[in-house]
Amino acid sequence: MNNKFKVSVSFYGIYTVLVVMTLLLPLLFGSKYNMDVAAYINRLPQLNDQSLTYNILNNTLSLVILHKILFFLSPTVILYLVYIFSVIFLSYILLKYLNVDYVLTIFFICFFSLYLNQSRETISICFGVLAWKNMHKKPLVWILYLLLSAFFHLFAFFYICLFIMSFFFKVISLQIKLTLVFFVIFFLFVLFFYFPRYTYYLKFQNYISFLFVLLGIYILIIWNSIKTIELKIFFVTVFFLAAFSSNLPDISSRIAEISIVLLFFSSSYSRKNIEEEKNYNINLQVLIIAFVMFVYRLSVLLFFNQDRIQLQDYLYNLFL
């Protein structure tokens, strides 16, 4: 027990160092690996001229509002502040609810995306988790968190909503289920087929994302810790969705990554209960798999061949 406590304390120290290094990374490489920052440094002032609908559907409304409020700061500083906030916010949410083994696991899996990039999606996921965890409180609290989730990123917001709905699957009437499904499908259809930013995600590639494999492995490992059949159905469904869309890597990877994060939040093994030997061993298995994947991706990145694949595609997806 004492040894396990020492290991846990060591993991907290390791995670702290990794997060500090992540926050300092832009000082060493600029925006080379922070693709989300690089993409909006020059575009941010131009977004002020776009319509409200455009900014909402392109997940840029939060940036526009911040740019107006912090008008005395350059776009570069604003974007890096969003980046720093997203890393700290994600770390807070993970450390608040999860065993440190799983916090490190999520870091190794999501370092190239949710940590290093996709800041608005990261913030949206964090608010979505807060909404889910506070649903036992007054509706105003969790509804506010959901609205904040939608404010930063629509895809993450809708995914969180579908996840939360799985908890109420038995009590929701068939009419409401069909209405919600129709609304989500219709909204996604309009989004993906009428907005150029999203049509990019529908292009089939000559490579696939293998993150769905990692999702499947984790579902099998912690299957017994998922307490409700509705949640098991949800995660199996999104696994097949990620697998069948693997030729659309930017969609498949996002589905798989968010699913892995929510899977860990749904597992009883992920709670801060390292007293149980079985849970402790399983947690280490989960962590080791993520670490091996992280080392592989990092080694490929260090010897990156830009002719083979675009850097942004590599950072956002897992290729074997």
Side-chain angles (χ1 to χ4, degrees):
M1 177 67 183
N2 190 41
N3 289 335
K4 293 175 185 176
F5 177 76
K6 290 180 179 179
V7 170
S8 179
V9 172
S10 299
F11 282 174
Y12 277 111
I14 292 171
Y15 182 73
T16 301
V17 171
L18 291 173
V19 168
V20 171
M21 290 176 62
T22 302
L23 293 174
L24 295 177
L25 202 62
L27 297 178
L28 300 174
F29 298 101
S31 58
K32 179 178 180 180
Y33 299 114
N34 299 90
M35 305 301 294
D36 208 40
V37 172
Y40 287 98
I41 286 178
N42 296 321
R43 288 182 57 199
L44 185 53
Q46 301 171 5
L47 293 175
N48 293 317
D49 300 326
Q50 299 292 341
S51 66
L52 178 64
T53 302
Y54 176 91
N55 282 310
I56 290 175
L57 294 179
N58 283 274
N59 301 313
T60 51
L61 181 61
S62 57
L63 297 180
V64 171
I65 292 177
L66 284 173
H67 190 226
K68 289 181 180 296
I69 296 174
L70 303 175
F71 61 90
F72 50 89
L73 296 177
S74 68
T76 302
V77 173
I78 293 173
L79 289 166
Y80 276 119
L81 287 176
V82 173
Y83 164 68
I84 292 170
F85 174 73
S86 69
V87 173
I88 294 175
F89 193 16
L90 179 60
S91 298
Y92 166 76
I93 295 298
L94 297 180
L95 291 170
K96 179 179 176 66
Y97 293 109
L98 298 182
N99 185 308
V100 68
D101 301 350
Y102 285 82
V103 176
L104 273 173
T105 299
I106 290 175
F107 178 89
F108 290 136
I109 295 171
C110 302
F111 170 72
F112 297 98
S113 53
L114 297 183
Y115 280 86
L116 204 56
N117 296 281
Q118 303 174 359
S119 299
R120 287 160 293 145
E121 183 177 342
T122 301
I123 296 171
S124 178
I125 292 172
C126 291
F127 278 121
V129 170
L130 283 175
W132 167 43
K133 291 293 187 179
N134 287 276
M135 293 200 72
H136 62 284
K137 297 183 179 180
K138 294 180 180 180
L140 183 62
V141 175
W142 59 266
I143 289 175
L144 176 61
Y145 284 137
L146 276 181
L147 290 175
L148 287 170
S149 176
F151 177 67
F152 281 95
H153 203 278
L154 289 176
F155 177 81
F157 163 72
F158 278 111
Y159 193 95
I160 293 286
C161 287
L162 291 174
F163 171 72
I164 293 176
M165 280 175 53
S166 67
F167 289 89
F168 305 96
F169 191 78
K170 289 183 178 180
V171 298
I172 298 177
S173 67
L174 179 61
Q175 291 84 352
I176 294 178
K177 292 174 188 174
L178 292 176
T179 301
L180 290 173
V181 170
F182 173 79
F183 173 75
V184 171
I185 292 175
F186 176 77
F187 180 84
L188 292 177
F189 175 82
V190 172
L191 206 62
F192 280 102
F193 285 92
Y194 288 95
F195 283 85
R197 180 181 184 275
Y198 292 96
T199 55
Y200 163 80
Y201 298 112
L202 295 177
K203 294 180 181 179
F204 286 94
Q205 306 291 347
N206 57 359
Y207 50 83
I208 67 175
S209 170
F210 283 89
L211 275 170
F212 74 91
V213 176
L214 194 65
L215 171 62
I217 291 173
Y218 283 141
I219 290 174
L220 292 175
I221 291 177
I222 64 177
W223 179 261
N224 292 332
S225 71
I226 306 173
K227 297 305 181 183
T228 67
I229 187 64
E230 289 80 14
L231 273 180
K232 290 181 177 180
I233 293 173
F234 174 83
F235 286 116
V236 170
T237 301
V238 295
F239 163 75
F240 283 109
L241 184 60
F244 290 141
S245 63
S246 58
N247 272 115
L248 300 170
D250 288 294
I251 292 179
S252 179
S253 294
R254 282 165 172 77
I255 292 173
E257 275 192 339
I258 299 178
S259 299
I260 289 173
V261 173
L262 295 180
L263 177 68
F264 291 160
F265 273 101
S266 306
S267 169
S268 60
Y269 295 160
S270 67
R271 297 168 191 163
K272 299 179 180 180
N273 57 347
I274 60 172
E275 294 84 1
E276 297 183 31
E277 183 70 26
K278 180 180 178 182
N279 290 7
Y280 181 76
N281 292 334
I282 289 177
N283 293 353
L284 283 182
Q285 293 175 27
V286 169
L287 176 58
I288 290 171
I289 292 171
F291 179 71
V292 170
M293 187 205 77
F294 173 77
V295 171
Y296 162 77
R297 297 183 74 185
L298 189 61
S299 63
V300 174
L301 184 61
L302 292 175
F303 302 99
F304 179 72
N305 180 3
Q306 194 164 359
D307 294 334
R308 186 172 72 89
I309 190 172
Q310 291 296 318
L311 177 59
Q312 179 173 338
D313 290 335
Y314 177 78
L315 290 174
Y316 287 179
N317 302 294
L318 171 63
F319 305 101
L320 299 177

